[in-house]
Amino acid sequence: MDSLRDFIKNNVNVAFATSIDNQPELRILQVMLVRDNEFYFATNAGKDVYKQIQSNPKVAFMASSEMIFARIDGICLFDIDDNTKREVYEKNPILQAIYKNYQDIAYFKVQAKQATYYDLGTQPITDKKYTFD
């Protein structure tokens, strides 16, 4: 799991998938913080992505670079404590450029339920699967 977490920490721009009315939606988001099997995100509460995850918290996201891919399937949770919100805001200058205050942001985390790490550049191909409770 460490190789997967490290890979995502170094490749924070991810394709983030939600669904609304059984229709898939895909967009690019940034992973703001990684802790164990939890991946933290920040967005505007008025955006479609935030409304979609509130309606259906089952999501997936994928990071990639060259021949390496990491996919996470999980559940969005909204119980982010104030210290973590501050940490996310302070560690991510892009948030500070967009929002004047950390409290102006909607935070959520994806608690991983399953993960896959592929490295197509290795022989044999690296294919690691993880399951979390």
Side-chain angles (χ1 to χ4, degrees):
M1 181 66 180
D2 287 338
S3 57
L4 180 134
R5 272 193 298 267
D6 290 343
F7 180 75
I8 292 173
K9 286 178 184 177
N10 292 315
N11 296 277
V12 297
N13 295 316
V14 299
F16 192 92
T18 61
S19 68
I20 187 78
D21 297 327
N22 290 321
Q23 294 296 314
E25 295 278 336
L26 189 65
R27 82 270 297 144
I28 302 300
L29 292 181
Q30 285 189 350
V31 177
M32 299 288 169
L33 180 67
V34 178
R35 287 188 181 154
D36 299 321
N37 67 325
E38 296 178 334
F39 302 84
Y40 290 78
F41 294 85
T43 191
N44 182 301
K47 286 192 173 185
D48 287 345
V49 64
Y50 196 69
K51 293 173 188 173
Q52 290 166 2
I53 62 176
Q54 288 180 311
S55 174
N56 179 0
K58 295 179 181 178
V59 299
F61 68 87
M62 186 179 75
S64 66
S65 178
E66 297 183 23
M67 302 294 284
I68 302 173
F69 306 88
R71 177 188 163 124
I72 303 289
D73 296 311
I75 301 291
C76 288
L77 302 172
F78 304 94
D79 59 335
I80 312 302
D81 65 80
D82 195 65
N83 287 337
T84 300
K85 290 177 182 179
R86 287 176 190 264
E87 180 181 356
V88 167
Y89 184 78
E90 291 168 5
K91 287 186 173 182
N92 293 281
I94 192 163
L95 294 177
Q96 296 166 33
I98 298 169
Y99 301 97
K100 294 181 191 252
N101 188 308
Y102 82 98
Q103 294 172 321
D104 297 336
I105 304 169
Y107 299 86
F108 65 96
K109 63 184 172 185
V110 175
Q111 185 176 53
K113 296 299 180 185
Q114 296 180 336
T116 306
Y117 178 83
Y118 295 104
D119 186 344
L120 301 177
T122 60
Q123 290 298 324
I125 291 172
T126 302
D127 180 0
K128 296 180 182 176
K129 296 187 183 336
Y130 307 91
T131 302
F132 309 96
D133 292 327

